[in-house]
Amino acid sequence: MPAATSGQTIGPFWHLIEHPEWADLTRFGAAGDRIELTGSVTDGDGAAVTDAAVELWQADPPADHLFPGFGRCRTDARGEFRFTTLKPGPVPGRGNAQQAPHFAIALHARGLLKGLVTRAYFAGDPMNESDPLLSSIDDPERRATLIARSRGAGHWRIDIRLQRGPSGETETVFLDV
Amino acid sequence: MESARDPIPFRPYEPGTQPPYDVPAYGSTHKRHPQEALARLPHTVTEVAGPRFNPSQFPPIPDLSAVNGKAALGERIIVRGRITDEGGHPVPHTIVEIWQANAAGRYQHPADQHDAPSDPNFRGEGRVYTDEDGWYRFISIKPGAYPWRNHHNAWRPNHIHFSFFGSGFAARLITQMYFPGDPLLELDPIFLAIPDKAARDRLVCKLDMTLTEPEWALGYRFDVVLRGHAATPMEG
Ligand SMILES: [Fe+2]
């Protein structure tokens, strides 16, 4: 059987398939612990990435007709994105492991010939200590790139760096999936 | 420790079939490719599960070639193909997102500054679903080539952008479909970034006279393979 088809960049004009309401995963009426996840995407010059598609996926709460589990948001002229969703709970890992609550985030943009995948965990969650992925990353500064910070009630923030920044800011951990 | 209840992971990508992140000939990769090694992540429910779209919440847009009954300019085309996974199984009822330039090579997008006419009757976005056997079909206009500023006198070959989701988030695929016989393909750093020639050539659709409708539109066939699972569960 043939191998999976090759990827190509989403390019700079993907906004033709952009629907801003997709950034609100609660728009079909899902009830639960509603939160906002905001953040930014910057490149190796520390410049805002203003043409990215940021995709959010969460396996919890389980997707249904009220909750798609998936959202997409463009980065704006400041490289910023914003999602409204429900806070995920823990989900099983492999074997007997449990995974701390997290989002999967995929980035697609001009200059990315295939998507980049990362995660956002929640600062202060006690399950982070035993999460298999977080535990596998030895460098604490790198590990911290996977953890969203609280910005007050129901608001979390994560900044994504495609490369080490000009002042030594740490490159986000991207995942080989 | 692994457990029998673990989700079945997707297969690793075949070597050479996916473009790298760092491609010197494609300037936009310079400041955007990760420089650290990717962290290996054995697939969990997060990677193996994925979104499901349904036509009632995400309605189909199967015809890009007209707006309000007014036909776009250009060469009308029909694109049809089958989506299977690496095990050869059809991927049914999955969403296919489509976007492209018009016949003149212009996107209906504020950032597109190419000096070519826009066409109010061309719809730059499409959305269809596969049927139970993995087949999809849409109608459009053959997109024009367009210049980009990657290098002196750089022109993209004619292409249609596609987005696929498949059965899990780690099977997500965004790609471009090209047209047979396009001399710009051998000059295009994006197309050429795929190391394996056979894999590259699978992004080129085929003229198909069984899809072509007489006196109306040429038909092109474009089949897509999404990631399959590393091991097939016992059937029966
Ligand atoms: Fe394009």
Side-chain angles (χ1 to χ4, degrees), chain A residues 1 3-9 13-16 19 22 43-45 51 55 57 65 72 94-95 99 102 108 110-111 113-115 119 142 162-163 171 174-177, chain B residues 1-2 6-7 14 17-19 21 23 26 28 30-36 39 43-44 46-47 57 86 88 97 107-109 125 172 174-176 178 190 202 225 227:
Chain A
M1 295 309 301
T5 299
S6 307
Q8 294 274 264
T9 180
F13 304 128
W14 68 271
H15 306 87
L16 290 167
H19 299 274
W22 286 29
D43 70 11
D45 287 331
D51 55 7
E55 293 187 338
W57 162 247
H65 70 287
R72 183 158 63 207
R94 295 189 74 79
Q99 302 187 85
H102 63 273
H108 308 280
R110 169 179 62 86
L113 284 157
K114 53 185 174 179
R119 283 186 175 187
R142 291 268 287 158
L162 302 181
Q163 293 180 354
E171 180 179 307
F174 296 105
L175 304 174
D176 178 9
V177 291
Chain B
M1 297 301 281
E2 300 288 294
D6 285 345
E14 288 292 327
T17 63
Q18 299 298 324
Y21 290 110
V23 176
Y26 176 20
S28 292
H30 296 178
K31 294 294 180 181
R32 293 185 168 191
H33 73 272
Q35 296 170 316
E36 304 275 356
H43 292 173
T44 71
T46 304
E47 290 69 43
Q57 288 174 323
E86 288 173 290
E97 296 178 288
Y107 285 89
Q108 207 68 40
H109 189 292
E125 177 192 20
R172 184 95 175 86
I174 289 172
T175 192
Q176 301 180 26
Y178 300 98
I190 293 177
R202 285 167 52 211
V225 179
R227 282 178 97 177

Coordinates of all heavy atoms in Angstrom, one line a residue, chain A residues 1 3-9 13-16 19 22 43-45 51 55 57 65 72 94-95 99 102 108 110-111 113-115 119 142 162-163 171 174-177, chain B residues 1-2 6-7 14 17-19 21 23 26 28 30-36 39 43-44 46-47 57 86 88 97 107-109 125 172 174-176 178 190 202 225 227:
Chain A
M1 N 0.8 -1.2 0.0 CA 0.0 0.0 0.0 C 0.9 1.2 0.0 O 1.9 1.2 0.6 CB -0.9 0.0 1.2 CG -1.9 -1.1 1.3 SD -2.9 -1.3 -0.2 CE -3.7 0.3 -0.3
A3 N 2.4 4.9 0.9 CA 2.6 5.6 2.1 C 1.7 6.8 2.2 O 1.1 7.2 1.2 CB 4.1 6.1 2.2
A4 N 1.6 7.4 3.3 CA 0.8 8.6 3.5 C 1.2 9.7 2.5 O 2.4 9.9 2.3 CB 0.8 9.1 4.9
T5 N 0.3 10.5 2.0 CA 0.5 11.6 1.1 C 1.4 12.6 1.8 O 1.3 12.9 3.0 CB -0.8 12.2 0.7 OG1 -1.6 11.1 0.0 CG2 -0.7 13.3 -0.3
S6 N 2.2 13.2 1.0 CA 3.2 14.3 1.5 C 2.4 15.6 1.8 O 1.5 15.9 1.2 CB 4.2 14.6 0.4 OG 4.8 13.5 -0.1
G7 N 2.9 16.2 2.9 CA 2.4 17.5 3.2 C 3.0 18.6 2.5 O 4.1 18.5 1.9
Q8 N 2.3 19.8 2.4 CA 2.9 21.0 1.8 C 2.4 22.2 2.7 O 1.4 22.0 3.5 CB 2.4 21.2 0.4 CG 2.9 20.2 -0.6 CD 4.2 20.5 -1.2 OE1 4.3 21.1 -2.2 NE2 5.3 20.2 -0.4
T9 N 3.1 23.3 2.6 CA 2.7 24.4 3.5 C 1.3 24.9 3.3 O 0.7 24.8 2.2 CB 3.7 25.6 3.3 OG1 3.3 26.7 4.2 CG2 3.6 26.1 1.9
F13 N -2.3 32.3 2.4 CA -3.6 32.7 2.0 C -4.7 31.7 2.5 O -5.8 31.6 1.9 CB -3.7 32.9 0.5 CG -2.7 33.9 -0.1 CD1 -1.9 33.5 -1.1 CD2 -2.6 35.1 0.5 CE1 -1.0 34.4 -1.6 CE2 -1.7 36.1 0.0 CZ -0.9 35.7 -1.1
W14 N -4.4 31.0 3.6 CA -5.3 30.0 4.1 C -6.5 30.6 4.7 O -7.5 29.9 4.9 CB -4.6 29.1 5.1 CG -4.3 29.8 6.4 CD1 -3.1 30.6 6.6 CD2 -5.1 30.0 7.5 NE1 -3.2 31.1 7.9 CE2 -4.5 30.8 8.4 CE3 -6.4 29.5 7.8 CZ2 -5.0 31.2 9.6 CZ3 -7.0 29.9 9.0 CH2 -6.3 30.7 9.9
H15 N -6.5 31.9 4.9 CA -7.7 32.6 5.5 C -9.0 32.4 4.7 O -10.1 32.7 5.2 CB -7.4 34.0 5.8 CG -6.2 34.2 6.6 ND1 -4.9 34.4 6.0 CD2 -5.9 34.3 7.9 CE1 -4.0 34.5 6.9 NE2 -4.6 34.5 8.1
L16 N -8.8 32.0 3.5 CA -10.0 31.7 2.7 C -10.9 30.6 3.4 O -12.1 30.5 3.1 CB -9.7 31.3 1.3 CG -9.1 32.5 0.4 CD1 -8.4 31.9 -0.8 CD2 -10.2 33.4 0.1
H19 N -12.9 30.7 9.6 CA -14.2 31.1 10.1 C -13.9 31.5 11.5 O -13.7 30.6 12.4 CB -15.2 30.0 9.9 CG -15.4 29.6 8.5 ND1 -16.3 30.2 7.7 CD2 -14.8 28.7 7.7 CE1 -16.3 29.8 6.5 NE2 -15.3 28.8 6.4
W22 N -14.8 29.6 14.7 CA -14.2 28.3 15.1 C -13.3 28.4 16.3 O -13.0 27.4 17.0 CB -13.4 27.7 13.9 CG -14.2 27.2 12.8 CD1 -15.4 27.6 12.4 CD2 -13.8 26.1 11.9 NE1 -15.9 26.8 11.3 CE2 -14.9 25.9 11.0 CE3 -12.7 25.3 11.8 CZ2 -14.8 25.0 9.9 CZ3 -12.6 24.4 10.8 CH2 -13.7 24.2 9.8
D43 N 8.8 34.2 15.8 CA 9.8 33.5 15.0 C 11.2 33.7 15.6 O 11.4 34.3 16.7 CB 9.8 33.9 13.5 CG 10.2 35.4 13.3 OD1 10.8 36.0 14.2 OD2 10.0 35.9 12.2
G44 N 12.3 33.3 14.9 CA 13.6 33.4 15.4 C 14.2 34.8 15.5 O 15.2 35.0 16.2
D45 N 13.5 35.7 14.9 CA 13.9 37.1 15.1 C 13.1 37.8 16.3 O 13.3 39.0 16.6 CB 13.6 38.0 13.9 CG 14.7 37.7 12.8 OD1 15.8 37.3 13.1 OD2 14.3 37.8 11.6
D51 N 0.6 35.3 10.2 CA -0.3 34.6 9.2 C -0.5 33.1 9.6 O -0.7 32.3 8.7 CB 0.3 34.7 7.8 CG 1.8 34.3 7.8 OD1 2.3 33.7 8.8 OD2 2.5 34.5 6.7
E55 N -4.3 25.6 15.6 CA -5.4 24.6 15.8 C -5.3 24.0 17.2 O -4.2 23.6 17.6 CB -5.3 23.6 14.7 CG -5.6 24.1 13.3 CD -5.8 23.1 12.2 OE1 -5.2 22.0 12.4 OE2 -6.4 23.4 11.2
W57 N -6.9 21.1 19.8 CA -7.6 19.8 19.9 C -7.5 19.3 21.3 O -6.4 19.4 21.9 CB -7.1 18.8 18.9 CG -7.5 17.4 19.2 CD1 -6.7 16.4 19.6 CD2 -8.8 16.8 19.2 NE1 -7.4 15.2 19.8 CE2 -8.7 15.5 19.6 CE3 -10.1 17.4 18.9 CZ2 -9.8 14.6 19.6 CZ3 -11.2 16.5 18.9 CH2 -11.1 15.2 19.3
H65 N -22.0 16.7 19.7 CA -22.6 17.7 18.8 C -22.7 19.1 19.5 O -22.8 20.1 18.8 CB -24.0 17.2 18.4 CG -25.0 17.3 19.5 ND1 -25.1 16.3 20.5 CD2 -26.1 18.1 19.8 CE1 -26.0 16.6 21.3 NE2 -26.7 17.7 20.9
R72 N -10.0 26.5 15.5 CA -8.9 27.1 14.7 C -9.0 28.6 14.9 O -10.0 29.2 14.9 CB -9.0 26.7 13.3 CG -7.9 27.2 12.4 CD -7.8 26.3 11.1 NE -8.9 26.4 10.3 CZ -9.3 25.4 9.4 NH1 -8.6 24.3 9.3 NH2 -10.4 25.6 8.7
R94 N -0.3 6.0 28.1 CA -0.1 4.7 27.8 C 0.2 3.8 29.1 O 0.7 4.4 30.0 CB 1.1 4.6 26.8 CG 0.8 5.3 25.5 CD 1.8 5.0 24.4 NE 1.8 3.7 23.9 CZ 0.9 3.3 22.9 NH1 0.0 4.1 22.4 NH2 0.9 2.0 22.5
G95 N -0.1 2.6 29.0 CA 0.0 1.7 30.2 C -0.9 2.2 31.3 O -2.1 2.6 31.0
Q99 N -2.4 11.2 32.1 CA -1.8 12.4 31.6 C -2.5 13.6 32.2 O -3.7 13.6 32.4 CB -2.0 12.6 30.0 CG -1.4 11.4 29.3 CD -1.5 11.6 27.8 OE1 -0.6 12.3 27.2 NE2 -2.6 11.2 27.1
H102 N -4.4 18.7 29.3 CA -3.6 19.4 28.3 C -4.5 19.6 27.0 O -5.4 18.9 26.8 CB -2.4 18.7 28.0 CG -2.6 17.3 27.3 ND1 -2.8 16.2 28.1 CD2 -2.8 16.9 26.1 CE1 -3.1 15.2 27.3 NE2 -3.1 15.6 26.1
H108 N 0.2 25.8 11.7 CA 0.4 25.8 10.2 C 0.6 27.2 9.8 O -0.1 28.1 10.1 CB -0.8 25.2 9.5 CG -1.3 23.9 10.1 ND1 -0.7 22.7 9.8 CD2 -2.3 23.6 10.9 CE1 -1.3 21.7 10.4 NE2 -2.3 22.2 11.1
R110 N 2.8 29.8 6.5 CA 3.9 30.0 5.5 C 5.2 29.7 6.1 O 5.5 30.0 7.3 CB 3.8 31.4 5.1 CG 4.9 31.9 4.2 CD 4.7 33.4 3.8 NE 4.7 34.3 5.0 CZ 5.8 34.8 5.6 NH1 7.0 34.5 5.1 NH2 5.6 35.6 6.6
G111 N 6.0 28.9 5.4 CA 7.4 28.6 6.0 C 7.4 27.3 6.8 O 8.4 26.9 7.2
L113 N 6.5 23.6 6.1 CA 6.1 22.7 5.1 C 5.2 21.6 5.6 O 4.5 20.9 4.9 CB 7.4 22.1 4.4 CG 8.0 23.2 3.4 CD1 9.5 22.9 3.2 CD2 7.2 23.2 2.1
K114 N 5.3 21.3 6.9 CA 4.3 20.5 7.6 C 4.0 21.1 8.9 O 4.8 21.9 9.4 CB 4.9 19.0 7.7 CG 6.2 19.0 8.4 CD 6.8 17.5 8.4 CE 8.2 17.5 8.9 NZ 8.8 16.2 9.0
G115 N 2.9 20.7 9.5 CA 2.5 21.4 10.7 C 3.4 21.1 11.9 O 4.1 20.0 11.9
R119 N 2.0 21.1 22.9 CA 0.9 20.9 23.9 C 0.9 22.1 24.8 O 1.9 22.8 24.9 CB 1.0 19.6 24.7 CG 0.6 18.4 24.0 CD 0.7 17.2 24.9 NE 0.2 16.0 24.3 CZ 0.0 14.8 25.0 NH1 0.3 14.8 26.3 NH2 -0.5 13.8 24.4
R142 N 12.9 24.4 28.9 CA 12.2 23.8 27.8 C 10.8 23.2 28.2 O 9.8 23.4 27.5 CB 13.0 22.7 27.1 CG 14.3 23.3 26.4 CD 14.0 23.6 24.9 NE 13.9 22.3 24.2 CZ 13.3 22.2 23.0 NH1 12.7 23.2 22.5 NH2 13.3 21.0 22.4
L162 N 9.0 29.7 17.7 CA 9.4 28.7 16.7 C 10.9 28.4 16.7 O 11.3 27.3 16.3 CB 9.0 29.2 15.3 CG 7.5 29.5 15.0 CD1 7.3 29.9 13.6 CD2 6.6 28.3 15.4
Q163 N 11.6 29.4 17.2 CA 13.1 29.2 17.3 C 13.5 30.0 18.6 O 12.8 30.9 19.0 CB 13.9 29.8 16.2 CG 13.7 29.1 14.8 CD 14.5 29.7 13.7 OE1 15.1 30.8 13.9 NE2 14.5 29.1 12.6
E171 N 13.2 28.1 22.7 CA 12.3 27.5 21.7 C 11.3 26.6 22.3 O 11.6 25.8 23.2 CB 13.2 26.8 20.7 CG 12.4 26.1 19.5 CD 13.3 25.4 18.6 OE1 14.3 26.0 18.1 OE2 13.1 24.2 18.3
F174 N 8.5 21.2 20.4 CA 7.6 20.6 19.4 C 7.8 19.1 19.4 O 8.8 18.6 19.8 CB 7.9 21.2 18.0 CG 7.6 22.7 18.0 CD1 8.7 23.6 18.0 CD2 6.3 23.2 18.0 CE1 8.4 25.0 18.0 CE2 6.1 24.5 18.0 CZ 7.1 25.4 18.0
L175 N 6.7 18.4 19.0 CA 6.6 17.0 19.2 C 6.7 16.2 17.9 O 6.2 16.6 16.9 CB 5.2 16.7 19.9 CG 4.9 17.5 21.2 CD1 3.5 17.2 21.7 CD2 6.0 17.1 22.2
D176 N 7.4 15.1 18.0 CA 7.5 14.2 17.0 C 6.3 13.2 17.1 O 6.4 12.3 17.9 CB 8.8 13.4 17.0 CG 9.0 12.4 15.9 OD1 8.1 12.3 15.0 OD2 9.9 11.6 16.0
V177 N 5.2 13.5 16.4 CA 4.1 12.6 16.5 C 3.8 11.9 15.1 O 2.9 11.3 14.9 CB 2.8 13.3 16.9 CG1 2.9 13.8 18.4 CG2 2.5 14.5 16.1
Chain B
M1 N 4.9 1.3 31.5 CA 4.6 0.0 30.9 C 3.5 0.1 29.9 O 2.5 0.8 30.1 CB 4.3 -1.0 31.9 CG 5.4 -1.3 32.9 SD 6.9 -1.9 32.1 CE 6.5 -3.6 31.8
E2 N 3.6 -0.6 28.8 CA 2.5 -0.6 27.8 C 1.4 -1.5 28.3 O 1.6 -2.4 29.1 CB 3.1 -1.1 26.4 CG 4.2 -0.3 25.9 CD 3.8 1.0 25.3 OE1 3.0 1.0 24.3 OE2 4.2 2.0 25.9
D6 N -3.9 0.2 25.4 CA -3.4 1.4 24.8 C -3.9 1.6 23.4 O -4.1 0.6 22.7 CB -1.8 1.2 24.7 CG -1.1 1.4 26.0 OD1 -1.8 1.9 26.9 OD2 0.0 1.1 26.1
P7 N -4.1 2.8 23.0 CA -4.6 3.1 21.6 C -3.5 2.6 20.7 O -2.3 2.7 20.9 CB -4.8 4.6 21.6 CG -4.0 5.1 22.7 CD -3.9 4.0 23.8
E14 N 6.8 7.3 6.2 CA 7.9 6.7 5.4 C 9.0 7.7 5.1 O 8.7 8.8 4.8 CB 7.3 6.2 4.1 CG 6.4 5.0 4.2 CD 7.1 3.7 4.6 OE1 8.3 3.5 4.2 OE2 6.5 2.9 5.3
T17 N 9.2 10.9 2.5 CA 7.8 11.3 1.9 C 7.3 12.6 2.4 O 6.4 13.2 1.8 CB 6.8 10.2 2.2 OG1 6.6 10.1 3.6 CG2 7.2 8.9 1.6
Q18 N 7.9 13.1 3.5 CA 7.5 14.4 4.1 C 8.6 15.4 4.0 O 9.7 15.1 4.2 CB 7.0 14.2 5.6 CG 5.9 13.2 5.8 CD 4.6 13.6 5.1 OE1 4.3 14.8 5.0 NE2 3.9 12.7 4.5
P19 N 8.2 16.6 3.7 CA 9.3 17.7 3.6 C 9.9 18.0 5.0 O 9.2 17.8 6.0 CB 8.5 18.9 3.1 CG 7.1 18.7 3.4 CD 6.9 17.2 3.5
Y21 N 11.5 20.6 7.9 CA 11.2 21.9 8.3 C 12.1 23.0 7.8 O 11.8 24.1 7.4 CB 11.1 22.0 9.8 CG 9.9 21.3 10.4 CD1 10.2 20.2 11.2 CD2 8.6 21.7 10.3 CE1 9.1 19.5 11.8 CE2 7.6 21.1 10.8 CZ 7.8 19.9 11.6 OH 6.7 19.3 12.1
V23 N 14.3 24.2 4.9 CA 14.6 24.1 3.5 C 15.2 25.4 3.0 O 14.5 26.4 2.8 CB 13.3 23.8 2.7 CG1 13.5 23.7 1.2 CG2 12.7 22.4 3.2
Y26 N 13.7 27.6 0.4 CA 12.4 28.2 0.7 C 12.6 29.2 1.8 O 12.7 28.8 3.0 CB 11.4 27.1 1.0 CG 10.0 27.5 1.4 CD1 9.5 28.8 1.2 CD2 9.2 26.6 2.1 CE1 8.2 29.1 1.6 CE2 7.9 27.0 2.5 CZ 7.4 28.2 2.2 OH 6.1 28.6 2.7
S28 N 11.1 31.4 3.6 CA 10.2 31.5 4.8 C 10.5 30.5 5.9 O 10.1 30.6 7.0 CB 8.7 31.5 4.4 OG 8.4 32.6 3.7
H30 N 13.5 29.9 7.1 CA 14.7 30.2 7.8 C 14.5 30.6 9.3 O 15.2 30.1 10.1 CB 15.4 31.4 7.1 CG 15.9 31.1 5.7 ND1 16.6 32.0 5.0 CD2 15.9 30.0 5.0 CE1 16.9 31.5 3.8 NE2 16.5 30.2 3.8
K31 N 13.5 31.4 9.5 CA 13.2 31.9 10.9 C 12.1 31.2 11.5 O 11.6 31.5 12.6 CB 13.0 33.4 10.9 CG 14.1 34.2 10.4 CD 15.3 34.1 11.5 CE 16.5 35.0 11.0 NZ 17.6 34.9 12.0
R32 N 11.6 30.2 10.8 CA 10.4 29.5 11.3 C 10.6 28.0 11.6 O 9.6 27.4 12.1 CB 9.2 29.7 10.4 CG 8.7 31.2 10.3 CD 7.5 31.4 9.5 NE 7.0 32.7 9.7 CZ 5.8 33.1 9.3 NH1 5.0 32.3 8.6 NH2 5.4 34.4 9.5
H33 N 11.7 27.4 11.2 CA 11.9 26.0 11.5 C 12.5 25.8 12.9 O 13.4 26.5 13.3 CB 12.7 25.4 10.4 CG 14.2 25.7 10.5 ND1 14.7 26.8 9.9 CD2 15.2 25.1 11.2 CE1 16.0 26.9 10.2 NE2 16.3 25.8 11.0
P34 N 12.0 24.8 13.6 CA 12.5 24.5 14.9 C 14.0 24.1 14.7 O 14.4 23.4 13.8 CB 11.7 23.4 15.5 CG 10.9 22.9 14.3 CD 10.9 23.9 13.3
Q35 N 14.8 24.5 15.7 CA 16.2 24.2 15.6 C 16.6 23.1 16.7 O 17.6 22.4 16.5 CB 17.1 25.4 15.9 CG 16.9 26.4 14.7 CD 17.5 27.8 15.0 OE1 17.4 28.3 16.0 NE2 18.2 28.3 14.0
E36 N 15.7 22.9 17.7 CA 15.9 21.8 18.6 C 15.3 20.6 18.1 O 14.4 20.6 17.2 CB 15.2 22.2 19.9 CG 15.6 23.5 20.5 CD 16.9 23.4 21.4 OE1 17.3 22.2 21.6 OE2 17.3 24.4 21.9
A39 N 10.5 16.4 20.4 CA 10.4 15.5 21.5 C 9.5 14.3 21.0 O 8.4 14.5 20.5 CB 9.8 16.2 22.7
H43 N 2.0 7.8 20.9 CA 0.6 8.2 20.7 C -0.3 7.8 21.8 O -0.3 6.7 22.3 CB 0.1 7.7 19.4 CG 0.8 8.3 18.2 ND1 0.5 7.9 16.9 CD2 1.7 9.3 18.1 CE1 1.3 8.7 16.1 NE2 2.0 9.5 16.8
T44 N -1.1 8.8 22.3 CA -2.1 8.5 23.3 C -3.4 8.9 22.7 O -3.5 9.2 21.5 CB -1.8 9.4 24.5 OG1 -2.1 10.8 24.2 CG2 -0.3 9.3 25.0
T46 N -4.9 11.6 22.9 CA -4.9 12.9 22.3 C -4.5 12.9 20.8 O -5.0 13.6 20.0 CB -3.8 13.8 23.1 OG1 -4.2 13.8 24.5 CG2 -3.8 15.2 22.6
E47 N -3.5 12.0 20.5 CA -3.1 11.9 19.1 C -3.9 11.0 18.2 O -4.1 11.2 17.0 CB -1.6 11.4 19.0 CG -0.6 12.3 19.6 CD -0.7 12.5 21.1 OE1 -0.9 11.5 21.8 OE2 -0.6 13.7 21.6
Q57 N -23.5 21.2 10.9 CA -22.8 22.3 11.5 C -21.7 22.9 10.6 O -21.3 24.1 10.8 CB -22.1 21.8 12.8 CG -23.2 21.5 13.9 CD -22.5 20.9 15.1 OE1 -21.6 20.0 15.0 NE2 -23.0 21.2 16.3
E86 N -3.3 4.1 5.1 CA -2.2 3.4 4.6 C -2.5 1.9 4.6 O -1.7 1.1 4.0 CB -1.0 3.6 5.5 CG -0.4 5.0 5.2 CD 0.7 5.3 6.2 OE1 0.4 5.5 7.4 OE2 1.9 5.4 5.8
G88 N -5.1 0.8 3.2 CA -6.0 0.7 2.0 C -7.5 0.8 2.3 O -8.3 0.6 1.4
E97 N -11.2 20.2 3.2 CA -11.3 21.7 3.0 C -10.4 22.0 1.8 O -9.3 21.4 1.6 CB -10.7 22.4 4.2 CG -11.6 22.2 5.5 CD -11.0 22.9 6.7 OE1 -9.9 22.4 7.2 OE2 -11.5 23.9 7.1
Y107 N -5.6 35.4 -5.3 CA -6.4 35.0 -4.1 C -7.3 36.1 -3.7 O -6.9 37.3 -3.8 CB -5.5 34.6 -2.9 CG -4.8 33.3 -3.1 CD1 -3.6 33.2 -3.7 CD2 -5.4 32.1 -2.6 CE1 -2.9 32.0 -3.8 CE2 -4.8 30.9 -2.7 CZ -3.6 30.8 -3.3 OH -2.9 29.6 -3.5
Q108 N -8.5 35.8 -3.3 CA -9.5 36.7 -2.8 C -9.0 37.0 -1.3 O -9.7 36.5 -0.4 CB -10.9 36.2 -2.9 CG -11.9 37.3 -3.0 CD -11.9 38.0 -4.3 OE1 -11.6 37.4 -5.3 NE2 -12.0 39.3 -4.3
H109 N -7.9 37.7 -1.2 CA -7.3 37.8 0.2 C -6.6 39.2 0.2 O -5.9 39.5 -0.7 CB -6.3 36.7 0.3 CG -5.7 36.6 1.7 ND1 -4.9 37.5 2.3 CD2 -5.9 35.6 2.6 CE1 -4.5 37.1 3.5 NE2 -5.1 36.0 3.7
E125 N -13.1 29.3 -1.6 CA -13.2 28.3 -0.5 C -14.2 27.2 -1.0 O -15.2 27.5 -1.5 CB -13.7 28.9 0.8 CG -13.9 27.8 1.9 CD -14.6 28.2 3.1 OE1 -15.3 29.2 3.0 OE2 -14.5 27.6 4.1
R172 N -3.5 14.4 10.7 CA -3.8 15.7 10.1 C -2.9 15.9 8.9 O -1.7 15.7 9.0 CB -3.6 16.9 11.1 CG -4.0 18.2 10.6 CD -5.4 18.6 11.0 NE -5.7 20.0 10.6 CZ -6.1 20.4 9.4 NH1 -6.3 19.5 8.5 NH2 -6.4 21.6 9.2
I174 N -2.1 18.7 5.6 CA -2.4 19.9 4.8 C -1.4 19.8 3.6 O -0.2 19.6 3.8 CB -2.2 21.2 5.6 CG1 -3.4 21.3 6.6 CG2 -2.1 22.4 4.7 CD1 -3.2 22.4 7.6
T175 N -2.0 19.9 2.4 CA -1.1 19.7 1.2 C -1.6 20.5 0.1 O -2.5 21.4 0.2 CB -1.0 18.2 0.9 OG1 0.1 18.0 0.0 CG2 -2.3 17.6 0.3
Q176 N -1.0 20.3 -1.1 CA -1.3 21.0 -2.3 C -1.4 20.0 -3.4 O -0.6 19.1 -3.5 CB -0.3 22.1 -2.6 CG -0.2 23.2 -1.5 CD 0.8 24.3 -1.8 OE1 1.1 24.6 -2.9 NE2 1.3 24.9 -0.7
Y178 N -1.2 19.5 -7.5 CA -0.7 20.2 -8.7 C -1.3 19.5 -10.0 O -2.0 18.5 -9.9 CB 0.9 20.0 -8.7 CG 1.5 20.7 -7.5 CD1 1.8 19.9 -6.4 CD2 1.7 22.0 -7.4 CE1 2.4 20.4 -5.2 CE2 2.2 22.6 -6.2 CZ 2.6 21.8 -5.2 OH 3.1 22.4 -4.0
I190 N 8.9 24.6 -3.0 CA 7.9 24.0 -2.1 C 7.7 22.5 -2.5 O 7.7 21.6 -1.7 CB 6.7 24.8 -2.0 CG1 7.0 26.2 -1.3 CG2 5.5 24.1 -1.3 CD1 5.8 27.1 -1.2
R202 N 3.0 12.0 -6.5 CA 1.6 11.7 -6.1 C 0.8 12.9 -5.8 O -0.4 12.8 -5.6 CB 1.7 10.7 -5.0 CG 2.0 9.3 -5.4 CD 2.4 8.4 -4.3 NE 1.3 8.4 -3.3 CZ 1.5 8.2 -2.0 NH1 2.7 8.0 -1.5 NH2 0.5 8.2 -1.1
V225 N -3.8 9.5 0.5 CA -3.6 8.5 1.5 C -3.3 9.2 2.9 O -2.3 9.9 3.0 CB -2.4 7.5 1.2 CG1 -2.3 6.4 2.3 CG2 -2.7 6.8 -0.2
R227 N -2.5 8.8 7.1 CA -1.8 7.8 8.0 C -2.7 6.7 8.4 O -3.9 6.9 8.8 CB -1.3 8.5 9.2 CG 0.0 9.3 9.0 CD 0.4 10.0 10.2 NE 1.4 9.3 10.9 CZ 2.0 9.7 12.0 NH1 1.6 10.9 12.6 NH2 3.0 9.1 12.6

